[in-house]
Amino acid sequence: MRILLTNDDGIHAEGLASLERVARTLSDDVWVVAPEQDQSGYAHSLSISEPLRLRKIGEKHFAVRGTPTDCVIMGVKKILPGAPDLILSGINSGANIADDVTYSGTVAGAMEGALLGIRSIALSQGYSTVGEDRVVPYETTEALAPALLKKLVATPLPDGVLLNVNFPNCLPEEVAGTVVTTQGKLVHGRGLPYYWLRFGREPVEGKQGTDLFALRNRLVSVTPLQLDLTAHEIRDQLSKALA
C-alpha cells in the first residue's frame, strides 16, 4: 500500500513526524509532501497566482511552498510514481471539530484527496494549554491510530466521503473508546471582542453523538464528512419558491 502524508503545520512539525511513524506500521511505501511553512487556517485554498516551489529534503520527503491542497495535488500528480492508495493528513496540533473543519488545512488535505478519488483521512490531536507551555500529547494518537486506521481503511465508504479523526487531550490509557460522531457547534464566547479568532469561541456541549461531546468525554471521534455540500432537504422547498 502506497501512503501519501501531508499536513498544515509544516514539513518540520512534530505531528507530521509522529504521523510518519504511524503510517510505517501500515506500509513501507510512505511519501511525505507537506507545506514548507505553517499553513494552519488556510482551509481548502489553492495557489493559482504564483508558481509552486518544490524542495526535496530527504528520501521520499518533499516541501512545497504552498498550501496542503497544493501538496496533495503535487504529490499525486507530480511526485509519486503512481497514485497513493491512502492519504493521511496531520497529525494536527489541536482538534479539528465542529465549525473548525471548514477552516482547517488538515481537513482540506484529506478533502483534496477525496476529490481525487483516493481514500483520505485527517487526524488531529486535542490539547488544552495555549502558549509557550503548550503540550500536545501526540503519543495518544501514535499509540491508538495504527489499529484504528487498519479498521477504517478496511471499511468501504461511498465516493466523496473523507474521515475526520480527533483524539482527546489525555494519555492513551485514559481514552474511553472510539465513537462515530456528527459535527458539533461552536459559538462566540461571552459577547466580548476577540482577536485570536480560534480561541474566541466556546464549545457547546451539545447532545451525545457530536465530536465536541466525544472529546470532552475522552473518546476518539471519527466524523465522516461528505464533499457534496448540497442542502438536499430544502431542494424541493426552494424549487417551489422559484417556480
Side-chain angles (χ1 to χ4, degrees), residues 93-172:
S93 172
N96 278 306
I97 53 178
D99 304 344
D100 284 347
V101 301
T102 62
Y103 309 117
S104 168
T106 300
V107 174
M111 185 180 296
E112 186 61 32
L115 284 168
L116 294 171
I118 301 166
R119 174 65 66 95
S120 299
I121 303 173
L123 300 98
S124 302
Q125 174 61 58
Y127 69 89
S128 57
T129 306
V130 180
E132 295 182 358
D133 296 329
R134 180 180 69 178
V135 176
V136 184
Y138 290 113
E139 65 269 25
T140 297
T141 300
E142 197 165 334
L144 302 179
L148 177 58
L149 287 173
K150 288 176 183 178
K151 293 179 180 179
L152 295 179
V153 169
T155 302
L157 293 175
D159 292 339
V161 171
L162 60 139
L163 298 177
N164 184 35
V165 181
N166 284 273
F167 293 83
N169 177 35
C170 61
L171 296 176

